[in-house]
Amino acid sequence: MALKGLDIFKLTPKTNCKDCGNPTCMAFAMKVAQGALSVDKCPHMSADALAKLSEATEPPMKTIDIGGHALGGETVMLRHEKTLVNRNIFSGYLCTKMPDAEIEQVLEDLPKTDYERIGERMYVEAVFVNCLDDAERCITLTKKAAATGRAVIISCEDPEKAKAVAGAVKISALVGANAENWEALNSVATAAGVPLGVRGPDLSAIHDTIEKLEAAGNKNLFIDLGAASVKDAFKNAMLIRRAAIKGGDRSFGYPTIVNLVWLARGDFETQAALAALFTMRYGSIIVMQRMSYAEALPLYGLRQNIYTDPQKPMKVAPGIYPLNGADENSPCCVTVDFALTYFVVSSEIERSGVPVNLLITDAGGYSVLTSWAAGKFSAGSIASFFSDFDIESKIKSRTLILPGKVAVLKGEVESKLPAWKVLVAPNEAVQLVRYLRELK
Amino acid sequence: MSFEAKPVVYGASIGEVTIGTGDLSLTIGGANISPLCFFEAPQKHPPAIGIEVSDLPFDTQGLPLLAALYEGCSDMAERVARAASVKGASFVCLRFESADPGGLNRSVADCVADAVKAAAASPLPIVIIGCKNSEKDTALFTAMAEALQGKNYLFLSAREEDYKAISAGVAMAYGHNVGAESSVDINLAKQLSVLMTQLGVRRDLIVLNPGSAAAGYGYEYVASTMDRIRAAALEQNDTMLQMPVITPVSTETWAVKESIISGDEMPEWGEREPRAIQMEIVTASACLASGSDAVIVRHPVSVEKLAALIAALL
Ligand code: B12
Ligand code: SF4
């Protein structure tokens, strides 16, 4: 929780000695509160005051690294309040109780979902291994999980077994600390240098365990939202995040893990619904039974949307983008400079295999209809693009294809660019594949 | 220091809107908690799931489950009866795609006749969606409102350009509910709500439709608009944003590539039906998380699973 200027002032020596370059201690305190100065600029702060301040000026939620993925570190409840910073990750699920054939199937399917969307790699970032049987089987399974190259999160409440697994395989996280085993599991996690996941029957038990771990010096933690019920897991997600961000409760300022296999085993639709819910509301690691394209396409799309910074428009540079080996004789498709639109349209043109010059015009980074409705994508803007980029001398083809959603622009574009044959393509980019092939 | 959570229940609450009459009615809204946080306090009206039926048969290529639901149906009324039988459906949404002047351009009279017949076949309350052409929707809605007077249905939607005629012809003349549709912006949502109430539409007849998009397609703006609307309504007691929110999810998701392309065309993506269902379920769940009081989906599996999700959270 951010400290107010007055609280900081109370901790200063109140001598107004000006050594910090400020006229008074009060002025100094106000600047620290705004984040304009750091406390160590005052050489006379007592050690005790410094400790209190550094504690209080810590961010409300820690950033925890799991297998190279930064999780947590959020400062607001909702993206519009500023931005969300560290997107959640998705994890596959393995359990020592699974029949071998099922294990092999999971491992075979896992790498199949791996693609790029607007410059981001979309794949299952982690594998969760539920270690229930004897250490030997746990080690074998964890080794298989590690062979995928993904972050490996083991779930194990038995410290001896956890130690054996962590000693034999490189893991990225260990979850299973509770009121009974926390001390022993803490040594295992600390020795392995990995974050430790805490669980418990209810939030106050979890909180107590976290406090003990923190007192023992471990702040490399994350919180298991539990598997008692859907309602309970969602409640925990909401209450933990609210306590951390709004209540300044540092012991809940950690990322979370939620296991949808335990909440809705075998029900892929309910797992997808829950994955969406926890992407929106405070799940940091979401463990799922299946991540085929059916789940991945909407879920990764949702995550990408929710974790874009509202302060930064997603734009691509205006210009000529020759696709499929297009040259000056290839027809032109015109569209806007919104990154998503560019991505969708260019990937469909690529899929068609037809050489096309994709013309990206400056439309303020908006989608086709948004920029059209805002007057930023019009016959006028297309014509100025043609003159600014000297299209008529760079390209010999005189075929210009408009997006179907702005079919109304056809007449005006024709009169502004009289040398061009203006065609209107279908509404959706996906229809371009057939359209372009038939055009040839 | 142990952990104790104080329930966050707001002094303000979302208004209630009733669709349909008597036994055949559904009330949405009334929330005084953050979306889906039923652990804070019990709520009278959890979010409702509606099922979309079009006056044109759906494209069922590669969708065996959807095809099976409507197998043998020869008109909208028969499809409505089937749709209403889907587990978890709380209302049926009639969509008049055929009215589109850029498409089949069916006459208002024909569409009204279909609506009357379909309404009679439905054991659930009805929400009506037009064809998105302002002029045609205005003619369609006012004629349907008259033909279905006394039924208290919900018409989607009135927009900036046609709210006067639609509000007058639907809500003020016949007491039906009307959706206020704006373009993913809290200020536009508020402005339309102010304009409609100033015109004289009773507040308890207005449902907000602040815009929607499929997951991955500009959905961040939808989420933030809805998050902000709910915050303004509950935390700042903004009465002009305290109407319940409805989100027609299916009209967005069934238009994106993920839901329409066949398994043959994108072999690595797999069969079409699971993709279309998951796209609809993911988008609708995200809308519910941001405060939708009602979502409209197309696939029976989506209806059932979304209703079960709400039940699990209650
Ligand atoms: C997110 C959004 C916004 C965001 C902007 C996001 C952005 N970067 O564009 C914000 C909130 C800022 C916004 C603002 C506005 N918006 Co807006 N917005 C949307 C929303 C929800 C999604 C847009 C989106 O991201 N689409 C995804 C992209 C990929 O779509 P696309 O660019 O059209 O590309 C597709 C096709 O066109 C095709 N395609 C593209 N290029 C090409 C080229 C060829 C050759 C072919 C064949 C195909 C093709 O491929 C893509 C996939 O098929 C839509 C509603 C909706 N569900 O679509 C409304 C929508 C576009 N907005 C609308 C409006 C009116 C506005 C405003 C003017 C509102 C206002 N009065 O202030 C403002 C204008 C902005 C400004 N302030 O100046 C209206 C437009 C109405 C109309 N039919 O004209 C819509 C349709 C909402 C509605 N139903 O009212 N909006
Ligand atoms: S250096 Fe420290 S004691 Fe001196 S004026 Fe600044 S804040 Fe006060």
Side-chain angles (χ1 to χ4, degrees):
Chain A
M1 195 170 26
L3 271 198
K4 299 219 171 59
L6 210 58
D7 302 322
I8 298 169
F9 171 68
K10 285 182 193 149
L11 297 167
T12 65
K14 303 191 198 99
T15 53
N16 300 335
C17 76
K18 302 191 178 57
D19 287 355
C20 61
N22 294 282
T24 60
C25 294
M26 186 65 197
F28 171 78
M30 297 314 275
K31 286 195 184 153
V32 174
Q34 289 160 11
L37 279 182
S38 75
V39 256
D40 55 17
K41 287 281 173 298
C42 165
H44 313 295
M45 283 282 189
S46 70
D48 182 43
L50 277 177
K52 273 195 189 134
L53 278 169
S54 74
E55 166 96 331
T57 47
E58 257 177 46
M61 196 180 176
K62 291 201 176 49
T63 304
I64 302 295
D65 182 285
I66 291 188
H69 304 281
L71 300 173
E74 302 299 343
T75 58
V76 292
M77 295 293 286
L78 299 166
R79 63 184 293 282
H80 71 262
E81 296 166 37
K82 188 158 186 235
T83 183
L84 300 177
V85 287
N86 288 316
R87 58 181 208 179
N88 56 292
I89 60 171
F90 292 99
S91 170
Y93 179 79
L94 290 173
C95 174
T96 50
K97 295 258 182 259
M98 274 181 180
D100 287 341
E102 196 182 335
I103 291 171
E104 294 312 320
Q105 192 63 51
V106 171
L107 291 168
E108 189 188 318
D109 290 343
L110 191 96
K112 286 186 190 156
T113 300
D114 197 337
Y115 59 101
E116 201 180 293
R117 187 176 204 269
I118 328 179
E120 238 182 81
R121 182 179 171 207
M122 305 301 192
Y123 67 113
V124 180
E125 291 98 345
V127 184
F128 182 99
V129 185
N130 192 20
C131 295
L132 294 177
D133 291 279
D134 57 275
E136 201 186 325
R137 182 158 169 86
C138 294
I139 291 172
T140 315
L141 189 59
T142 309
K143 278 190 176 151
K144 285 188 179 172
T148 62
R150 315 296 160 102
V152 174
I153 302 164
I154 64 161
S155 171
C156 184
E157 294 182 9
D158 173 347
E160 281 312 311
K161 203 160 48 179
K163 193 173 166 189
V165 177
V169 197
K170 192 181 165 337
I171 59 167
S172 302
L174 161 64
V175 53
N178 57 35
E180 284 80 45
N181 69 4
W182 66 270
E183 218 164 352
L185 225 52
N186 186 30
S187 335
V188 179
T190 330
V194 299
L196 177 61
V198 182
R199 53 171 74 127
D202 56 48
L203 285 182
S204 73
I206 294 174
H207 200 273
D208 289 345
T209 305
I210 294 175
E211 282 178 68
K212 288 182 190 141
L213 285 161
E214 287 178 326
N218 191 354
K219 292 190 176 181
N220 192 18
L221 307 172
F222 58 108
I223 307 174
D224 189 342
L225 295 178
S229 69
V230 164
K231 182 177 182 171
D232 214 51
F234 179 64
K235 171 183 158 191
N236 291 348
M238 289 298 300
L239 293 181
I240 289 170
R241 183 63 65 90
R242 196 186 278 159
I245 305 290
K246 291 191 150 175
D249 183 341
R250 291 263 153 58
S251 295
F252 271 170
Y254 294 100
T256 62
I257 183 167
V258 59
N259 193 324
L260 304 185
V261 188
W262 292 344
L263 289 172
R265 190 183 299 270
D267 183 343
F268 300 119
E269 290 82 18
T270 298
Q271 285 187 36
L274 290 171
L277 182 61
F278 286 109
T279 296
M280 297 289 294
R281 297 293 184 253
Y282 319 137
S284 313
I285 305 165
I286 300 176
V287 184
M288 294 174 74
Q289 201 168 344
R290 180 177 92 183
M291 184 59 86
S292 70
Y293 275 87
E295 290 76 38
L297 295 167
L299 284 172
Y300 289 110
L302 177 68
R303 176 181 76 176
Q304 189 172 45
N305 280 172
I306 297 302
Y307 283 88
T308 54
D309 185 344
Q311 301 151 114
K312 284 186 211 135
M314 308 237 291
K315 278 203 244 186
V316 290
I320 307 171
Y321 291 76
L323 302 173
N324 301 327
D327 60 19
E328 54 186 16
N329 297 312
S330 312
C332 299
C333 278
V334 65
T335 191
V336 296
D337 57 348
F338 180 33
L340 172 62
T341 306
Y342 168 75
F343 163 78
V344 172
V345 175
S346 63
S347 55
E348 291 306 311
I349 294 176
E350 277 163 7
R351 201 162 62 86
S352 77
V354 180
V356 166
N357 289 301
L358 180 58
L359 308 180
I360 300 293
T361 64
D362 179 355
Y366 287 134
S367 79
V368 169
L369 278 181
T370 306
S371 57
W372 174 76
K376 290 180 173 152
F377 185 50
S378 62
S381 77
I382 295 173
S384 359
F385 171 83
F386 271 66
S387 67
D388 292 352
F389 283 82
D390 203 12
I391 301 297
E392 299 205 340
S393 64
K394 286 182 190 150
I395 290 175
K396 287 202 186 118
S397 160
R398 286 294 175 262
T399 300
L400 178 62
I401 302 166
L402 294 180
K405 289 189 182 172
V406 287
V408 290
L409 294 180
K410 184 171 190 270
E412 241 188 295
V413 173
E414 277 168 343
S415 66
K416 288 206 154 65
L417 300 171
W420 291 75
K421 182 173 147 206
V422 181
L423 303 175
V424 175
N427 279 357
E428 306 300 337
V430 59
Q431 297 161 303
L432 259 175
V433 177
R434 181 191 276 173
Y435 179 85
L436 289 173
R437 284 180 187 158
E438 283 171 3
L439 191 74
K440 268 213 302 190
Chain B
M1 178 186 71
S2 199
F3 180 75
E4 213 178 304
K6 294 172 228 65
V8 178
V9 178
Y10 297 99
S13 60
I14 303 303
E16 292 184 356
V17 168
T18 297
I19 307 166
T21 52
D23 288 348
L24 251 177
S25 75
L26 166 74
T27 300
I28 57 172
N32 61 351
I33 52 167
S34 295
L36 306 180
C37 293
F38 306 113
F39 56 87
E40 311 272 23
Q43 301 288 302
K44 269 197 284 182
H45 314 295
I49 314 298
I51 181 163
E52 177 200 354
V53 174
S54 174
D55 61 346
L56 300 175
F58 288 134
D59 153 28
T60 51
Q61 278 283 318
L63 305 169
L65 297 173
L66 187 66
L69 176 64
Y70 295 118
E71 208 197 309
C73 291
S74 57
D75 66 2
M76 193 186 204
E78 286 177 26
R79 290 196 291 272
V80 164
R82 294 274 176 87
S85 72
V86 170
K87 197 172 149 204
S90 305
F91 63 93
V92 174
C93 169
L94 310 181
R95 181 171 168 199
F96 290 91
E97 271 181 291
S98 74
D100 186 357
L104 287 185
N105 198 16
R106 272 176 82 234
S107 74
V108 169
D110 286 350
C111 293
V112 171
D114 281 356
V116 171
K117 216 177 139 202
S122 175
L124 294 175
I126 300 274
V127 171
I128 292 173
I129 297 195
C131 63
K132 295 267 162 190
N133 174 292
S134 271
E135 235 168 276
K136 189 69 176 273
D137 278 359
T138 307
L140 207 60
F141 289 171
T142 45
M144 283 182 189
E146 185 182 359
L148 296 166
Q149 57 182 291
K151 301 273 196 191
N152 225 22
Y153 288 159
L154 168 62
F155 288 80
L156 297 181
S157 293
R159 284 161 289 188
E160 198 181 343
E161 58 270 26
D162 55 24
Y163 79 92
K164 283 189 184 151
I166 291 180
S167 300
V170 170
M172 289 151 81
Y174 298 106
H176 290 290
N177 303 293
V178 57
E181 179 179 344
S182 46
S183 311
V184 274
D185 178 313
I186 185 172
N187 298 312
L188 296 176
K190 178 161 176 168
Q191 181 186 315
L192 187 55
S193 164
V194 169
L195 290 171
M196 283 170 61
T197 39
Q198 277 174 356
L199 190 69
V201 182
R202 267 171 36 213
R203 272 184 37 203
D204 64 348
L205 297 181
I206 301 176
V207 175
L208 302 179
N209 169 10
S212 53
Y217 289 87
Y219 186 81
E220 66 271 38
Y221 293 93
V222 177
S224 287
T225 300
M226 291 211 285
D227 287 342
R228 293 181 65 194
I229 288 178
R230 218 12 77 103
L234 295 179
E235 290 166 31
Q236 286 122 50
N237 196 18
D238 188 332
T239 54
M240 286 301 129
L241 292 171
Q242 274 168 359
M243 294 81 174
V245 169
I246 189 165
T247 316
V249 169
S250 51
T251 50
E252 299 296 329
T253 67
W254 288 85
V256 299
K257 181 181 178 185
E258 289 83 339
S259 306
I260 50 186
I261 204 164
S262 75
D264 300 337
E265 242 184 297
M266 288 292 277
E268 66 273 32
W269 280 14
E271 293 303 316
R272 179 184 177 197
E273 196 155 43
R275 272 189 271 121
I277 293 172
Q278 300 293 47
M279 178 50 100
E280 190 164 57
I281 286 183
V282 166
T283 306
S285 303
C287 292
L288 292 166
S290 286
S292 280
D293 298 284
V295 291
I296 300 166
V297 289
R298 178 182 295 183
H299 201 283
V301 171
S302 312
V303 173
E304 194 184 325
K305 300 293 180 171
L306 289 164
L309 173 74
I310 303 288
L313 288 165
L314 279 178

